[in-house]
Amino acid sequence: MEFLESLNDAQRKAVEHINGPAMIIAGAGSGKTRVLTFKIAYLIYKGIDPFNILSLTFTNKAAKEMKERIASSVGESYAKNLWMGTFHSVFAKILRIEHQKIGFPSNFTIYDTDDSKSLIKTLLKDMNLDPKVYKPGLVYNRISSAKNNLISANEYSKNSAIISEDTRSSKPLIYELYKKYQNKLLRAGAMDFDDLLFKTNELLRDDPQVLHKYQNKFKYIMVDEFQDTNFSQFTILKRLAALFENITVVGDDAQSIYAFRGANIQNILNFNKTYPDAEVFRLEQNYRSTQNIVNAANSVISKNKEQLKKTVWTQNDVGEKIRVFRNNSDQEEGMAIANEIFRLNNETHLDFESYAILYRTNAQSRALEEALRKSDIPYRIYGGLSFYQRKEIKDLLGYFRVTLNPNDEEAIKRIINFPVRGIGKTTIDKMVLAATENDTGLWQVLTDPIGYNCNLNGPTVAKIRSFADLIKSFRIIIEKESAYDSGQKIAASSGLLKEFYADKSAEGLSRYENIQELLAGLKEFSEDQKEQGLPNGLADFMSEVALLSDQDNTADDQKEKVTLMTIHAAKGLEFPYVFVAGLEENLFPSQLSINSREDLEEERRLFYVALTRAKKRVHVSYALTRFKWGNLIYCEPSRFIEDISEEFLDYPYLENQTQRFHEYTKKQQPSISIPSNAPKPYSPPRNLKKLSSSSPSNFEGSPSELIITGAEVEHQRFGKGKVLQVEGQSPNKKATVFFQGIGQKQLLLKFAKLKVL
DNA sequence: TAATGTAGAGTTTTT
DNA sequence: CTCTACATTA
């Protein structure tokens, strides 16, 4: 066990602790992950069966990396028996095993946030509620936080405090929505993210046999990022650990930055109350950053009231002070950072991947990107729309979902008329109505439209039948074929591949590429699973995919590129040089946080996280003016800059510059007008199209019989074009026309006026 | 049914 | 400003 030699005293003690509850408070950069992996390896060396170890992490990526590290230390054959993953993925797995006990199919669907919100929208329509008052996002958050606090729909409706809170915000019927929402999920054989934890809690609470089974299986439990767990998660832990109490949690209260989505910092602050015998280990030596960075970060976090006692220190060099950049505008801020990176790079000859620019909101990336582009500095930006949220990906996954679970109504609605097969809104509404009246699901109606008496005409019934048959044929395919083969066939037979292939616009091209990428992922999955002798069907793929995120796709193309990301996304990462941009009041700290101490403290922890990402030097910057939604606004430097003790700051111009700024703004007030000498951003001319399309309309179309393949035609708006194809029967005759300079368009002849030339 | 127009909203994010 | 969701129009 010579690996223990490489640990410091505190780390080694934490690793060697085996029995009983333990809390490891791990300061930033203190080698937390190393301790956790070593501890698991140590348990295995001590003869504990990996089969009895459960290790929970914040992301799948973290789990995967840790598993690999353990495998390289104790051997693959041991490591593969470890249960390792996020709360959601581990307990989804268990719920699939125990599905009968909770009344769900084993291949239940996991609804993502979009599915949930769309379901809430349809419920609002049913109940005739105004979606402007009952904003789906708000309703969802309300239900989500109830679930995270283990309040069922029934308990919710009986909780007077909650009801009166909802009434005060003029949304008294949320309890009703919650109930209906759960009913719909049950009927759809679906769970949302919170349900995965909620149902696990119910299962462990109500079924002593199941509880006993998993208590005995998971004799040793490790939890990473414990500061970001919520009540529901902690309750699961308490239940599972109740028998042996071999639970080790690792975390840093100073880095708790996810309260806004239900994480409860009290879990870590009060761990000792739940487990009075818990041994507490403090990892306080920082191996990452210079003394100046560590001390500056400490001075910031000390302004928070709620925290566990610890003193992070380092033996590293003193290093340089935190540099403060003051700028007149967000553009200038970007240029200042770009210039500094350029200068540093000449000086140090480091790769561009040594630099990160961190910010509070994604919207800030634009000005920064522009500056980097102008300076020819390569960068990679994280965030934005994730791969799995893209339309085309959700479309294909929608087909997979319906195939696996035809009760998945959100997925049915997504794909039933995409690609278009003539089943429109009216038809769907009729069938939904029939389903509601007969107290059944949409799929049942789809498979027997006549039996349910939906008042549909013959051709429509035929279209519905052929859609149902299509799905049924997919069900046969996935019975015996691999995920890849099934996926390939479904993508082709559904018409999706053709649909995206036909679209030759830039967007269409990238959509097609994304579909291909997903199929490539399926292929990789199928082959990997087969190699390992594991099941490789579509169902197996789908049971994992709902819980994956972009960060799990370890794309290694960030080499030689500057990293741009939000501070949240930077958690757990490190860079030699870090730029924290936009340190302005109402931006960082965010405007929404400055009214409560708790929220403000969370923002301050976020700043702490930002500072402690850096190894060598930190630059913080702010702008005096910034464009927000097209308007120039004036900004004040963030209070967080003053939270850094002056001795660690390099703030050359602080006094005279800010003073000048204040004089300047005073002069301008009270009329908030843009001074003529203020920098104006470049904005390209817009709405050119509008000007060219406003001609009076006395345009006559030719009769549809004259519109034939090959004909040269003219359209009022699109101009001259050539008919490539005509399909369908009058009055639903459709022509595909190629217009010069515009591209291919599909037009319904009963609407579009086309003149034959 | 599909393209186009318009109103409204707009932290942080993983599962 | 920019994106999205819904209504409108052909």
Side-chain angles (χ1 to χ4, degrees), chain A residues 270-507:
Chain A
N270 294 325
F271 188 77
N272 265 359
K273 291 204 177 117
T274 310
Y275 296 104
D277 303 336
E279 272 200 65
V280 178
F281 303 94
R282 287 192 165 76
L283 308 182
E284 297 178 310
Q285 184 176 358
N286 174 305
Y287 293 94
R288 178 187 294 151
S289 314
T290 64
Q291 285 182 33
N292 268 320
I293 291 170
V294 168
N295 292 334
N298 282 344
S299 70
V300 168
I301 204 70
S302 71
K303 305 288 188 302
N304 273 5
K305 236 165 98 182
E306 277 203 279
Q307 54 185 314
L308 295 167
K309 203 187 96 221
K310 71 172 166 309
T311 318
V312 181
W313 58 279
T314 184
Q315 281 181 340
N316 293 343
D317 291 345
V318 175
E320 293 173 75
K321 293 181 178 180
I322 313 285
R323 297 197 180 181
V324 181
F325 287 10
R326 178 198 123 280
N327 307 278
N328 287 314
S329 67
D330 46 351
Q331 278 97 357
E332 272 187 31
E333 180 183 45
M335 284 315 293
I337 292 172
N339 289 340
E340 180 64 12
I341 291 177
F342 192 81
R343 204 188 59 72
L344 268 171
N345 217 43
N346 280 334
E347 186 185 296
T348 62
H349 303 290
L350 288 166
D351 291 334
F352 281 121
E353 63 194 276
S354 306
Y355 308 92
I357 309 176
L358 308 180
Y359 37 81
R360 178 67 241 265
T361 68
N362 282 309
Q364 289 167 256
S365 69
R366 185 171 284 258
L368 299 166
E369 269 183 275
E370 207 172 298
L372 291 172
R373 247 196 325 265
K374 275 187 196 153
S375 315
D376 277 326
I377 296 172
Y379 62 89
R380 187 182 146 85
I381 185 160
Y382 291 75
L385 200 61
S386 93
F387 183 71
Y388 295 99
Q389 283 177 325
R390 286 167 203 280
K391 273 194 190 71
E392 60 276 19
I393 298 304
K394 293 196 78 171
D395 288 334
L396 183 51
L397 292 180
Y399 277 95
F400 295 170
R401 278 166 55 174
V402 177
T403 305
L404 288 161
N405 172 14
N407 295 317
D408 182 345
E409 240 173 90
E410 289 305 314
I412 293 183
K413 285 181 183 164
R414 167 172 280 275
I415 60 161
I416 191 166
N417 200 33
F418 189 84
V420 283
R421 42 175 76 87
I423 307 177
K425 196 172 169 294
T426 329
T427 312
I428 296 169
D429 284 349
K430 280 181 189 168
M431 289 192 293
V432 169
L433 191 70
T436 318
E437 277 173 359
N438 291 285
D439 195 30
T440 184
L442 186 53
W443 174 250
Q444 269 65 39
V445 179
L446 273 170
T447 48
D448 185 14
I450 304 240
Y452 282 98
N453 202 14
C454 308
N455 197 18
L456 297 163
N457 61 30
T460 309
V461 170
K463 286 174 196 159
I464 293 167
R465 285 233 173 90
S466 88
F467 173 73
D469 288 344
L470 185 71
I471 299 298
K472 284 181 194 159
S473 75
F474 293 163
R475 306 194 71 175
I476 296 167
I477 292 174
I478 64 163
E479 287 298 314
K480 17 188 189 314
E481 312 228 11
S482 73
Y484 175 61
D485 291 334
S486 308
Q488 191 81 8
K489 284 179 183 170
I490 292 173
S493 317
S494 64
L496 270 188
L497 267 186
K498 202 175 146 210
E499 178 84 19
F500 290 122
Y501 187 72
D503 186 349
K504 292 296 178 199
S505 65
E507 283 161 27

Side-chain angles (χ1 to χ4, degrees), chain A residues 490-529:
Chain A
I490 292 173
S493 317
S494 64
L496 270 188
L497 267 186
K498 202 175 146 210
E499 178 84 19
F500 290 122
Y501 187 72
D503 186 349
K504 292 296 178 199
S505 65
E507 283 161 27
L509 213 65
S510 94
R511 290 202 169 142
Y512 185 72
E513 279 168 9
N514 284 333
I515 292 279
Q516 292 298 346
E517 198 180 323
L518 182 64
L519 289 172
L522 276 167
K523 188 170 187 179
E524 196 185 332
F525 173 83
S526 298
E527 286 168 1
D528 277 6
Q529 294 284 107

